[in-house]
């Protein structure tokens, strides 16, 4: 398969449960076999998550008690109050990320697991699985939980706060959804799908045949199926629909540099007002002033909540900055064709994609405070325009990381241009591990098979020696374990 981060085509041995295959050049995770059953374990977590989710919709989160006056909120009170304050755009995003999308992805997961349990994968499930993987990062229950924690810590000093079932349900939902993610194996579901024939592209078993030039190969960005073309494949052309998942095939993401650059510039322009304008005005007992993001961090620090202060500082100030700077550095390297810390850059890109959503903590916290502190003129919280700009920065940087193609970094310095190489004699063939020194060979088709019993230690990682420029990928096992796995 093709490494999604560096674009190196390589052949991976059949993995046993609990094993992980990493790219031998950049270290990205290529495949991971879960140590659990394919359908029943994720199904159990999916049903538990759905139960918690439905209960959460109808239960209260917390009650704020100020001098005998009470206000109880649930997960939708914050967005409703935001609409009343004229910030419908923030309310829409909060509702989507915390109510609509979590429900939608859980429903989609139920369909996917049902389809995966059938003897043959039905064709209607392909767009569902493709969209599941796109929408999953936008379901931000775990970020909402941290936002709730920050809001609670701010309130508990000022008044009596009673937590209700909803708070515990949202915490439980966070854990079951994380467990669902770590047990669901999308690659095994895709491997279950049937492959249609496609004009101009041929399916090819490269186990014992020469490695085709990588310019002639392309990997589906959705289901990772590798296809071979008779002629070199143009980088950005639409090559038709994937024969397995039906999504559009492109060798590289379309106009990734231009799109990333425009998202980054807009994010940078919004970053300035997001930090200068107040995000909310807290009026407590008739007194109060507008506060910015930085002001909120100082306030947490002064009340002795050092951990939360550092967390909010990191999520709201450092993260957007880190994302803008690191993506700009990648664009610069690609433009100047500089091979500058390629492995480090690829790692940085994966970190940026992984942690980008956590900047939403501040937006969720504002939405919770706005919903819960509503006591007419005496005490109330108003969201200000700063929060709109801040939210736009977070969303634009997530888009920028999403449209950027990190394989461009390796393409720019010519590391993805391979000549045909013949496999070394004595290749162990289908399903076997490659011996030391073998070239990387793509294996376009994988048969659907029941998970083999683990032959190696759980959690073992196959990884090669550090990469030297121009060297094809190799898989090596740690010396002590070689006997047990071969
Ligand atoms: Zn790689
Ligand atoms: Zn595909």
């Amino acid at each position: 398969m093709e490494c999604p981060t560096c674009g190196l085509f390589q052949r991976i041995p059949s993995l046993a449960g609990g094993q992980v295959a990493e790219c031998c050049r950049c270290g990205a995770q290529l495949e991971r076999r879960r140590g659990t059953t394919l359908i029943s374990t994720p199904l159990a977590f999916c049903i538990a998550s759905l139960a918690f989710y439905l209960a959460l919709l109808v239960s209260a989160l917390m009650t704020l008690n100020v001098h005998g006056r009470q206000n109880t909120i649930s997960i939708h009170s914050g967005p409703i109050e935001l609409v009343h304050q004229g910030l419908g755009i923030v309310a829409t995003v909060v509702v989507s990320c915390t109510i609509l999308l979590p429900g939608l992805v859980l429903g989609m997961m139920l369909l996917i697991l049902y389809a995966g349990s059938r003897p043959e994968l039905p064709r209607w499930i392909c767009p569902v699985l493709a969209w599941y993987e796109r929408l999953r990062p936008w379901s931000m229950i775990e970020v909402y939980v941290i936002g709730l924690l920050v809001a609670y810590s701010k309130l508990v000093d000022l008044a009596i706060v009673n937590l209700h079932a909803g708070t515990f349900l949202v915490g439980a939902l966070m854990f079951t959804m994380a467990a669902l993610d770590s047990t669901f194996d999308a690659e095994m579901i895709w491997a279950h799908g049937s492959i249609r024939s496609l004009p101009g592209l041929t399916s090819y078993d490269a186990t014992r045949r020469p490695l085709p030039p990588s310019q002639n190969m392309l990997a589906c960005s959705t289901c990772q199926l590798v296809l071979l073309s008779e002629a070199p494949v143009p980088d950005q052309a639409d090559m038709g629909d994937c024969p397995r998942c039906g999504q559009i095939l492109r060798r590289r993401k379309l106009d990734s540099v231009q799109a990333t650059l425009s998202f980054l510039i807009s994010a940078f322009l919004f970053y300035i007002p997001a930090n200068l304008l107040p995000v909310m005005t807290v009026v407590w007992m008739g007194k109060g002033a507008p506060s910015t993001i930085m002001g909120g961090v100082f306030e947490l620090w002064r009340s002795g909540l050092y951990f939360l202060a550092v967390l909010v500082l990191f999520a709201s100030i450092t993260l957007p900055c880190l994302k803008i700077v690191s993506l700009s550095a990648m664009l610069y390297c690609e433009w100047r064709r500089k091979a500058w810390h390629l492995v480090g850059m690829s790692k940085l890109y994966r970190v940026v994609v992984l942690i980008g959503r956590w900047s939403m903590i501040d937006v969720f916290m504002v939405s919770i405070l706005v919903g819960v502190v509503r006591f007419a003129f005496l005490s109330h919280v108003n969201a200000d325009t700063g929060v709109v700009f801040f939210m736009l920065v977070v969303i634009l940087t997530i888009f920028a990381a999403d449209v950027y193609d990190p394989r461009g970094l390796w393409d720019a310095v010519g590391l993805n241009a391979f000549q045909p190489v013949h496999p070394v004699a004595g290749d162990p063939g289908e399903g076997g591990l490659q011996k030391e020194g073998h070239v990387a060979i793509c294996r376009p088709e994988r048969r659907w098979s029941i998970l083999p019993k683990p032959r190696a230690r759980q959690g073992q990682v196959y990884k090669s020696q550090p990469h030297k420029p121009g060297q094809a990928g190799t898989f090596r096992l740690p010396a002590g374990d070689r006997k047990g796995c071969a």
Side-chain angles (χ1 to χ4, degrees), residues 233 241 381 393:
V233 184
D241 294 343
V381 174
V393 171

Side-chain angles (χ1 to χ4, degrees), residues 101-288:
L101 285 173
L104 186 65
V105 295
L106 286 175
M108 287 166 114
M109 175 52 78
L110 209 57
L111 285 178
I112 293 165
L113 292 174
Y114 163 73
S117 66
R118 305 275 296 273
E120 190 163 335
L121 200 68
R123 199 142 275 287
W124 54 263
I125 202 64
C126 296
V128 178
L129 185 46
W131 274 99
Y132 172 81
E133 292 185 346
R134 267 169 232 164
L135 293 178
R136 177 62 190 90
W138 292 94
S139 148
M140 302 190 184
I141 287 291
E142 59 277 41
V143 187
Y144 187 79
V145 170
I146 304 293
L148 192 65
L149 188 71
V150 177
Y152 173 76
S153 319
K154 284 194 173 205
L155 290 170
V156 79
D157 281 350
L158 303 171
I160 301 162
V161 187
N162 297 320
L163 295 180
H164 296 305
T167 307
F168 304 105
L169 283 170
V170 77
L173 181 59
M174 173 179 85
F175 284 113
T176 47
M177 285 186 85
L180 175 61
D181 282 342
S182 66
T183 51
F184 175 62
D185 195 337
E187 286 139 9
M188 287 299 267
I189 303 275
W190 281 127
H192 199 359
S194 56
I195 296 175
R196 284 182 298 190
S197 63
L198 194 72
L201 287 161
T202 42
S203 187
Y204 170 93
D205 179 15
T207 318
R208 286 165 188 281
R209 294 163 69 184
L211 176 74
S214 66
Q215 290 87 340
N216 288 24
M217 289 190 281
L218 108 163
C220 171
S221 57
T222 309
C223 72
Q224 273 80 47
L225 180 74
V226 176
L227 295 139
L228 177 73
S229 176
E230 313 279 297
V233 184
D235 269 357
Q236 307 217 329
D238 180 347
M239 298 303 291
D241 294 343
C242 172
R244 187 160 70 182
C245 68
Q247 305 295 305
I248 293 174
L249 288 172
R250 266 185 229 285
R251 200 161 174 276
R252 294 290 182 260
K253 290 179 189 170
L254 187 64
D255 294 334
S256 87
V257 173
Q258 293 90 325
T260 314
L261 193 64
S262 44
F263 280 129
L264 276 184
I265 292 173
S266 350
F268 179 72
L269 291 179
F270 287 139
Y271 187 67
I272 302 164
N275 279 289
L276 295 181
L277 292 176
V279 286
M280 60 178 171
T281 307
V282 182
V283 178
W284 192 258
M285 298 302 150
K287 287 181 292 185

Side-chain angles (χ1 to χ4, degrees), residues 343-356:
V343 174
M345 283 287 203
S346 303
K347 282 204 177 99
L348 187 64
Y349 174 76
R350 296 199 297 274
V351 170
V352 163
V353 170
L354 201 70
I355 59 181

Side-chain angles (χ1 to χ4, degrees), residues 292-371:
T292 57
I293 293 177
M294 208 56 208
V297 173
F298 282 133
E299 200 183 300
L300 282 171
W301 187 268
R302 272 198 297 272
S303 16
L305 301 165
Y306 304 116
F307 175 71
L308 285 180
V310 172
L311 186 79
V312 173
L313 177 75
F314 181 71
S316 311
I317 313 267
T318 321
L319 266 190
C321 237
L322 175 83
K323 282 156 74 178
I324 294 176
V325 170
S326 51
L327 283 171
S328 311
M330 286 170 205
L331 287 178
Y332 177 78
C333 287
E334 192 175 332
W335 173 52
R336 302 295 300 179
R337 300 184 178 277
K338 279 200 190 320
W340 188 66
H341 294 293
L342 282 174
V343 174
M345 283 287 203
S346 303
K347 282 204 177 99
L348 187 64
Y349 174 76
R350 296 199 297 274
V351 170
V352 163
V353 170
L354 201 70
I355 59 181
R357 332 150 50 226
W358 289 91
S359 305
M360 288 293 272
I361 291 177
D362 243 40
V363 177
F364 293 151
M365 181 205 66
V366 170
S367 119
I368 294 164
L369 286 182
V370 160

Side-chain angles (χ1 to χ4, degrees), residues 2-10 22-30 346 350 407 410:
E2 185 189 25
C3 170
T5 315
C6 73
L8 178 72
F9 282 95
Q10 49 206 298
E22 286 182 350
C23 174
C24 57
R25 190 162 72 174
C26 71
Q29 183 178 300
L30 296 177
S346 303
R350 296 199 297 274
R407 293 171 290 187
W410 300 78

